[in-house]
Amino acid sequence: LLNQNKMNQLQKIEFNSDQIALIKKQIAPNANDTELKLFLYQCQRTGLDPLTRQIYCIHRGGRMTIQTSIDGFRVIAERSGDYAGQDEPVYAYNPDGSILSCKVTVYKFRGDVRYPAATATAFFKEYYPNPMNLQKSMPHVMIAKIAEALALRKAFPQDLSGLYTNDEMQQADKGEVTFENEVDESMRKALRDKVYSSTLDEGDRMLALESIETCVSNAMYFKIDARLDAVQAG
């Protein structure tokens, strides 16, 4: 019951027309209508408020990415009701003493039992190929935050898929990696609910459900969503 209450709390965030206009102008000025709809959906799904800068809409190379801080990731995990903390980061080093990688394990609760839900390793050179661009006093902190974000996303895929931290996006600015927003299970569930509440006959309903299961891109998601809205409106 406690977990369900926390999940319900996440779903309460709503935006009125004035707030949406402000978000479009100040937070997501480069977003088209489809991207803005996706951004607002992620804000509502995660319970993070873009107007207080808890979540950001950033365009890189013509693509939109939705990102937050590692604190935002922790907030989302904590609100799930299942988050049970993590181990201290474990570092590996190269022969010359420089950082090779960092590993973080995230825990969840199953009832009263605390168990390791996900472990992730971040390799330093993948995120900081040129250490001269990184503050020399903070390499351990920075790579640990990336490893933590990777582990949290693995442990809470429904809540954190499609979100990236500022630190993860360091190399995206250089064109060394491309992040794409994914269609996650909660988005598929929203489409399924529309199918089940629609007036589609059994054959068309099965075809719609098959399309939902194979939907992997945001463009396809909004195409299916628009078709279902048209059916319900009709």
Side-chain angles (χ1 to χ4, degrees):
L1 180 59
L2 177 61
N3 290 357
Q4 185 61 48
N5 288 339
K6 289 186 178 182
M7 291 303 294
N8 290 340
Q9 181 181 356
L10 281 181
Q11 298 170 4
K12 288 181 181 178
I13 186 170
E14 297 289 345
F15 303 108
N16 59 39
S17 58
D18 289 339
Q19 289 172 322
I20 292 175
L22 184 60
I23 291 169
K24 170 64 177 174
K25 182 178 180 180
Q26 299 292 336
I27 310 299
N30 297 318
N32 58 37
D33 290 343
T34 298
E35 291 172 333
L36 181 62
K37 184 176 180 181
L38 175 62
F39 178 63
L40 294 175
Y41 168 81
Q42 292 283 40
C43 294
Q44 292 169 329
R45 183 172 68 87
T46 60
L48 297 179
D49 186 354
L51 295 174
T52 58
R53 306 290 179 174
Q54 291 181 333
I55 187 170
Y56 304 88
C57 176
I58 307 295
H59 278 74
R60 288 179 167 85
R63 290 176 181 245
M64 181 184 74
T65 59
I66 302 173
Q67 66 185 71
T68 182
S69 66
I70 189 63
D71 288 335
F73 268 43
R74 293 165 182 160
V75 166
I76 294 169
E78 183 66 30
R79 285 176 177 173
S80 73
D82 298 324
Y83 180 52
Q86 63 189 61
D87 286 339
E88 287 295 314
V90 177
Y91 299 96
Y93 296 90
N94 292 305
D96 63 0
S98 60
I99 301 172
L100 172 64
S101 64
C102 177
K103 180 172 68 175
V104 169
T105 298
V106 167
Y107 291 79
K108 296 174 73 173
F109 285 115
R110 185 181 290 121
D112 294 330
V113 178
R114 182 176 184 262
Y115 70 97
T119 298
T121 300
F123 288 89
F124 193 87
K125 281 194 173 181
E126 290 183 356
Y127 291 91
Y128 302 105
N130 184 1
M132 295 299 292
N133 294 334
L134 182 67
Q135 283 185 268
K136 293 182 178 179
S137 61
M138 298 184 63
H140 288 83
V141 173
M142 302 300 284
I143 197 65
K145 287 197 290 184
I146 291 173
E148 180 182 355
L150 294 172
L152 284 169
R153 193 181 297 107
K154 289 171 67 176
F156 299 93
Q158 182 168 326
D159 301 314
L160 292 172
S161 62
L163 289 179
Y164 299 92
T165 65
N166 307 328
D167 302 293
E168 288 180 284
M169 299 307 298
Q170 287 277 344
Q171 61 184 358
D173 289 329
K174 309 184 192 79
E176 294 163 358
V177 68
T178 300
F179 293 101
E180 296 182 2
N181 294 305
E182 301 171 352
V183 176
D184 60 35
E185 182 57 27
S186 65
M187 295 171 74
R188 290 194 178 93
K189 182 180 183 303
L191 293 179
R192 293 191 202 101
D193 289 343
K194 286 190 176 183
V195 170
Y196 292 130
S197 64
S198 72
T199 58
L200 291 172
D201 60 34
E202 188 63 26
D204 288 339
R205 181 173 295 184
M206 292 302 297
L207 289 174
L209 290 173
E210 289 178 7
S211 297
I212 291 169
E213 295 309 312
T214 58
C215 177
V216 295
S217 69
N218 294 322
M220 181 58 70
Y221 169 85
F222 286 112
K223 187 175 183 180
I224 296 173
D225 188 51
R227 287 178 177 175
L228 292 174
D229 283 344
V231 170
Q232 290 180 331

